[in-house]
Each structure stands twice: as C-alpha cells, then as structure tokens.
Amino acid sequence: MSTLKWGDASAQRKVLFVEGDDEFRAIAALMQDQSISGLGLRDLHGRTNLGEKLSVARKASGFSEVQSVGILCDAEQSFAVSWSNVTGALEVAGLSVPAAPLSRARGTPDVTVFISPDNSGNGVFEDIFLDCMAGDPHMGCVEPFASCITGMVSMNAAHESKLKMQALVASKGKRLIGEAADNHVFDWSHIAFRPLIEFLRTL
Amino acid sequence: MTFESSGTDGRFIRRANISHFRGFKDLILEPLARINLIAGLNNVGKTAVLEALQLKNMPFNNFMLVLNAPVRNSPNWGFQPFMRGVEAPWAAWFHRYEVSQPIEIAITTNNSETSTLRLRNLIDAQEIQEKVAPVLFPGQPIVDSEVWAFGAQPHVLELQVPGKQTSSGFMIPQTTGYIIFEQSGQLRVSGALPQATMPAIYRPSRADGNPNELAQLFGQLVVQKQVPELVESLKMMEPRLKDITTVATPIGAQLYGDIGIGHQMPLKLMGEGTEKLTSLLVDAASARDGLLLIDEIENGFHYSVLESIWASLDQATRQSRVQLVATTHSLECIAAAQRYFSRDPGLLPSGEDFRVFRVERDGEAVKAIGFTAEELGEALELGFEVR
C-alpha cells in the first residue's frame, strides 16, 4: 500500500504525509469510501526526525509538481508540543507554516496540518475511531478491560486510547485499525470522521 | 581538506557552474563530493555534465589528445555530425546551437581556487580575420577591407581562461587560444590554448574499450605494484582469477588472465563485467590527482556485486586521490553506494565523501538536487524516488 510514487498520476498534485502504516491504511480506506481521489499518501514511518524527512521529501523526484501538502500527526500528550514540533519541522524543511491546524498556508506547495484527534486537545488518531465506536456493544467489555489494565499498569491517555482501540479491533477479529478499516468495521459516515474527511477534501 | 588522513595535497572540485553548454543554460552542481553519482531522466543532461567537466580539463595544448578523446560513444570529441560549410564543428556544444553566446565552465576546488574556461565561437568576419589570418597566412599583411572568399571563411573557436589572483597572491594572466577549422577540413591551433586543470579520464557508456589502451594503462599499475589489489577486486567477478598479465599480440598489447585452466585467457572473454571493472580500476589509478568520469557506471554489472564494486572503486580512488563523477539510471546502483558509504565512515566529513545529484528540468532551466548518504538512506527507506 505504501508504495505510491510521486510519479503516479493520482499522487502528483496533492500529498498527505501520515505517521505510520496503520494511519496509511485507514486513510486509504476512508478515501476509497468517500471517493476522494487525486491525493497521494506517504507513510513517514514515525514522526522522529520529521524535519529531515520532509526535507528529503522536498528533494524527491516529482515533488516540484506537488501543489498541496497535508500532514496528519497525533497530539499525543500535548497538543501544543505536537503543534510546535510539526511547525518546527516545516521550517526545517523550508515548507510554508500554517497559522493553525486546518489553516492552509499558501506557498509552493500549500501546507495544511491535522493534529489528531480534534486539532485542539491532546490525544491520538485512535481517539477518532473510539468516538465512532462509542456505541458499539463490544465497548462495554473494552472499557472495563482498559480500566482493569490501567489499574495495574501506569500509562498515559494516548497509550490508553491505543489499548482500547486494539482491544476493540481484536474483538472484531482484526489486529490494527488499518486492517479493520480495510474490512469495513467502521462507519465512515459517523460524525467523528467529518473533520478528517473535510481536511482530506480541502487539501 | 584532503582525501587521505595522511595530509596529502588531494583536491577535488567542490562546485561546477556550467553555462550555455549542451542542454544547460546555467547549471550549478554544489557541493560536489569525492564520489558523485548523477541521476535523472533521459535526455536531461547527465552525460553533458561529464562532458563539461571533461572539456574543462582537456589538455587543449595537446589538441590531438582532445580530438582523440572519446565522447558519447564516438571516437572523438563530438565534432560530428555537423553541416560542413554551414555550422561550426563545435556547434552542438552550444546551448540550443546558439553559437553567438559563449560557453562558460567554471570549477571551484575544495581549496577555493576557481578556474573558468570560456569558449566563444567567432562570428564576425573582421574579428576572425584579425585573430587567425596571421596563422593561416603567415607573413602576409592584414588588410582591413579584405574579406574571405565566398565559403572560405574558417570556423574559429576562441578558448579563454580569464586571469586571476591565487589565494597566495600570485597573479595568473589571462590566456587565449584559437582552434581554427578550415573549410577544407584542416584543423589548426594558435595562441595559448588552455592547459588541463587536472587529469581527467572519461569512460563512455557503451563504447567498446580499446584493449590496447587498457593494456598500456595497466602498465602503470604494474609499475606502482598495484596488480595484486586489482586481481583481488576482480575476484568478485571471476573468483578463479589468480593473476593478470600483458601479452604482446599481433594486434597490440592485450590483457590476459590466469584462471587456473592451464591457459591464459584474454580478459575480453571473461565477460563484460570483468573487463569493465578492470577498466574502471585501471582508470582510477591512471587519473591520479584528477578526475574520473564514467557514463552509466552500472552497465555490465550484476546487482549483487554493486556494493563490492563501490568498495573497490572507493579504495582505488582514495589511493590515487581521484574524484569520481558517474551517471546512472539504476536505483540498485544508487542504493548499493548508499549502503557502502553509510557503512564506511570514510575519511571525509559526512556529505563530502559521497553525494547523489538528480539533474532535472524545470521549464527552460535545469537544476541539480543533491543528496548526502544520510538523506539518500532516508529517501530510500521512505520509498521516495530520487532518480
């Protein structure tokens, strides 16, 4: 899935960088469901050295054709720190820096950033899916399971969200969000996905 | 900065600025490293980069060498094809065949010494007469009103190296020379033709190597006692190889290899890869303190030996303090170089030992985008296309 090349017709003008393979597969499934085309996905294999990675991306063959770049990152434990990291990386790479999440920074190319889960608070990509699955019957089992675990093991909120999500998708016979997304576990019309869909459409 | 930690006076080209040459209006390659790979689409000008560097380092004072220098798989310096009587033999060197503007090739070394070669195709009949009449008609007075008979005006290329002050304060005067191509086809030279900045050897991509020349260059390895190292390197292509020797044959000196079958075998029969690697390693030794330019370096090599090829070339070029500039289409070749130069810390700081440049067209302009080994590793890991 993560072998799209800049040269692919669908990936030339708009590119979305995501943190990992799970996000890559989930976004790809969402795009397919919503008939969003012309957007190339790139897996950054983690957010470490984001500035260097974006710098290299800028030098990659065909990048000069790209008109719009999106970056999808987790807020993790601090939205402010994550936002600062992303804007710092954009500066290092010589890319335009937006004033705020979802704000489009004009440049060559334009840049827009989405900080999961809601562009203002702390949290991770998985929180969007937990929101979507809040009414799922399996969540009645997942919540006590997570409480039990967090009662024994200290973990931050981001880690807890990942724990819940993995437990939930495991209960559906899947291992990761991406796999669950590929297998139609999620209702993409749920309100939880609207900001993300809007972000993808406006890139 | 030197190639070797021993403090030898190794120097290499740090910056090349190529103007109005072939497909380049103005191309800058910077910072060049000790080992450089040039990638890019077909017809973007990869080979032209090598040609420009070769041209800058031509021994114009020995013009026959220039004429015999191989380029673009042709036996000589691209003086053909051209429309005799209509255009100058060197017209194809000029950007878009616009011979009215000069070519400039400027190189700056790691010692911050800049040297420029300016080539100007003389057009004005009066100027041509002033510049070359003393050569063509020695002893005859130049008459202002004299004009060339119809169709007799020669093509004249002015080669100029502007004067400059060296870092040590020494003043080098400007030199100007002329190459005159008469309509009869005769070539003459006059004035002070530029000297080679540094030794430069160019290997075209598909031209058949000259076994005789290779054997002659091999002699230098014999003198320098480097044959065992060459044999060791060649074992990656032919593990049975024990020795290489020069044999005088009716068609000239040839290289033969001993592979333990009781009979020496011509190197040419050991496969393209063996002959190519031999040629490259011999070239590296021969271009001592200079420049080795290789077009489509991957040709003839199986992907599995590419990393070992880089190891051998790295060692050979270090020993001879040679800077290597090579073109490639092969991602396997680039990745093998990246693996080798990432693993081996090298003697130069990161980015000075190895770099890949992608030459790409941006409208009318052509630009070169450089990648260090680290950046290349990141790009390859992320699946970004660098060629």
Side-chain angles (χ1 to χ4, degrees):
Chain A
M1 286 289 285
S2 56
T3 54
L4 280 172
K5 294 286 187 288
W6 298 121
D8 292 354
S10 61
Q12 279 191 333
R13 306 290 178 187
K14 300 175 183 179
V15 177
L16 174 63
F17 292 104
V18 297
E19 279 191 51
D21 186 56
D22 213 19
E23 286 88 344
F24 185 100
R25 291 179 66 178
I27 295 292
L30 174 58
M31 284 170 56
Q32 187 172 13
D33 180 82
Q34 297 293 308
S35 302
I36 298 172
S37 58
L39 174 62
L41 286 179
R42 302 303 309 205
D43 178 358
L44 287 173
H45 298 187
R47 207 169 56 181
T48 312
N49 300 326
L50 182 59
E52 287 76 7
K53 288 175 179 173
L54 293 176
S55 297
V56 169
R58 271 195 81 190
K59 291 182 173 185
S61 181
F63 190 81
S64 58
E65 304 291 321
V66 174
Q67 295 174 348
S68 176
V69 162
I71 295 173
L72 175 64
C73 277
D74 287 343
E76 297 276 355
Q77 297 174 70
S78 167
F79 166 79
V81 170
S82 183
W83 174 249
S84 174
N85 287 344
V86 172
T87 54
L90 288 169
E91 284 177 10
V92 166
L95 289 164
S96 301
V97 181
L102 301 182
S103 163
R104 190 181 185 100
R106 296 290 174 185
T108 312
D110 292 353
V111 176
T112 317
V113 177
F114 188 103
I115 304 287
S116 296
D118 59 5
N119 291 297
S120 59
N122 305 339
V124 289
F125 189 60
E126 284 79 355
D127 286 316
I128 301 173
F129 291 79
L130 286 173
D131 197 8
C132 161
M133 302 296 281
D136 188 275
H138 293 200
M139 285 304 290
C141 304
V142 168
E143 290 289 0
F145 167 71
S147 297
C148 179
I149 297 296
T150 53
M152 293 189 290
V153 182
S154 173
M155 64 176 66
N156 60 45
H159 194 169
E160 188 179 341
S161 294
K162 288 176 186 288
L163 170 74
K164 288 180 184 175
M165 199 61 219
Q166 285 185 11
L168 180 65
V169 295
S171 76
K172 307 282 182 187
K174 312 301 174 195
R175 290 189 303 163
L176 296 165
I177 291 180
E179 186 186 358
D182 283 342
N183 288 279
H184 312 289
V185 168
F186 307 111
D187 173 12
W188 299 115
S189 65
H190 192 278
I191 192 171
F193 294 116
R194 283 190 192 166
L196 195 53
I197 292 168
E198 184 65 15
F199 167 67
L200 298 176
R201 289 196 190 284
T202 54
L203 281 176
Chain B
M1 189 56 61
T2 59
F3 280 2
E4 294 175 338
S5 54
S6 58
T8 50
D9 60 345
R11 65 176 177 156
F12 62 100
I13 299 170
R14 250 346 227 161
R15 183 180 202 269
N17 190 348
I18 305 164
S19 301
H20 205 67
F21 179 75
R22 297 281 202 209
F24 308 137
K25 191 164 188 281
D26 192 34
L27 176 72
I28 295 173
L29 285 141
E30 184 182 31
L32 285 156
R34 190 174 63 84
I35 305 284
N36 304 275
L37 270 175
I38 311 286
L41 296 174
N42 287 115
N43 203 33
V44 77
K46 298 183 297 295
T47 303
V49 170
L50 305 186
E51 290 175 332
L53 293 173
Q54 186 196 20
L55 191 59
K56 175 67 188 76
N57 294 291
M58 284 272 187
F60 282 104
N61 51 343
N62 187 346
F63 195 64
M64 285 314 292
L65 274 182
V66 176
L67 288 180
N68 290 326
V71 75
R72 293 273 169 125
N73 313 313
S74 299
N76 63 37
W77 228 102
F79 279 172
Q80 75 290 340
F82 66 99
M83 303 292 287
R84 179 171 288 194
V86 178
E87 60 189 17
W90 40 78
W93 297 358
F94 288 76
H95 182 53
R96 300 161 62 103
Y97 279 78
E98 291 172 0
V99 295
S100 58
Q101 291 183 50
I103 293 169
E104 277 199 2
I105 304 167
I107 60 170
T108 304
T109 65
N110 53 327
N111 300 328
S112 301
E113 298 273 356
T114 297
S115 168
T116 303
L117 172 66
R118 185 177 298 141
L119 305 177
R120 193 165 67 95
N121 180 65
L122 301 191
I123 295 172
D124 180 68
Q126 189 70 33
E127 185 180 14
I128 291 173
Q129 187 172 319
E130 286 172 11
K131 298 283 170 59
V132 306
V135 179
L136 297 182
F137 315 111
Q140 294 182 28
I142 298 172
V143 182
D144 281 351
S145 60
E146 185 179 350
V147 291
W148 301 98
F150 179 74
Q153 178 174 306
H155 294 289
V156 180
L157 183 69
E158 181 184 80
L159 301 97
Q160 195 171 71
V161 176
K164 63 174 181 178
Q165 193 165 15
T166 65
S167 54
S168 56
F170 183 68
M171 190 64 201
I172 299 175
Q174 173 174 297
T175 59
T176 306
Y178 300 93
I179 296 173
I180 304 157
F181 184 80
E182 295 185 70
Q183 295 298 346
S184 63
Q186 186 169 5
L187 274 163
R188 296 173 191 257
V189 297
S190 81
L193 289 168
Q195 296 181 16
T197 313
M198 58 180 69
I201 291 180
Y202 174 88
R203 282 288 159 204
S205 60
R206 289 177 300 280
D208 275 342
N210 180 342
N212 212 323
E213 180 199 359
L214 185 61
Q216 284 177 28
L217 293 173
F218 175 78
Q220 295 181 27
L221 291 193
V222 175
V223 171
Q224 293 164 14
K225 295 191 170 183
Q226 289 180 359
V227 175
E229 285 91 334
L230 174 66
V231 171
E232 200 54 42
S233 294
L234 290 174
K235 281 183 177 173
M236 77 175 88
M237 319 296 294
E238 175 47 87
R240 297 171 297 173
L241 188 67
K242 299 181 191 314
D243 197 12
I244 295 180
T245 190
T246 315
V247 176
T249 73
I251 55 168
Q254 305 276 313
L255 291 185
Y256 277 65
D258 177 3
I259 55 171
I261 59 171
H263 192 289
Q264 299 270 0
M265 181 180 277
L267 207 65
K268 229 174 167 29
L269 297 182
M270 291 188 190
E272 188 183 348
T274 304
E275 191 183 23
K276 171 98 179 256
L277 183 57
T278 305
S279 168
L280 296 185
L281 295 176
V282 169
D283 285 344
S286 306
R288 181 167 284 275
D289 292 314
L291 197 54
L292 179 54
L293 307 163
I294 307 167
D295 202 13
E296 297 185 16
I297 191 168
E298 74 276 12
N299 279 0
F301 296 130
H302 190 263
Y303 76 92
S304 61
V305 298
L306 287 171
E307 200 169 333
S308 300
I309 297 279
W310 281 115
S312 295
L313 279 173
D314 180 42
Q315 187 182 9
T317 51
R318 279 187 193 183
Q319 280 178 355
S320 300
R321 296 185 300 273
V322 166
Q323 184 175 20
L324 174 68
V325 185
T327 69
T328 184
H329 283 292
S330 162
L331 188 60
E332 286 166 337
C333 180
I334 293 172
Q338 189 277 331
R339 284 195 301 276
Y340 173 75
F341 286 102
S342 296
R343 192 186 62 210
D344 188 315
L347 294 170
L348 296 176
S350 172
E352 290 192 23
D353 227 23
F354 170 67
R355 199 172 282 263
V356 170
F357 289 91
R358 183 181 68 255
V359 179
E360 69 178 26
R361 196 169 294 284
D362 183 9
E364 267 297 289
V366 177
K367 59 186 179 184
I369 297 166
F371 293 82
T372 63
E374 291 76 16
E375 289 174 327
L376 198 55
E378 196 87 77
L380 294 173
E381 187 186 334
L382 295 174
F384 295 153
E385 181 58 83
V386 296
R387 294 168 296 172

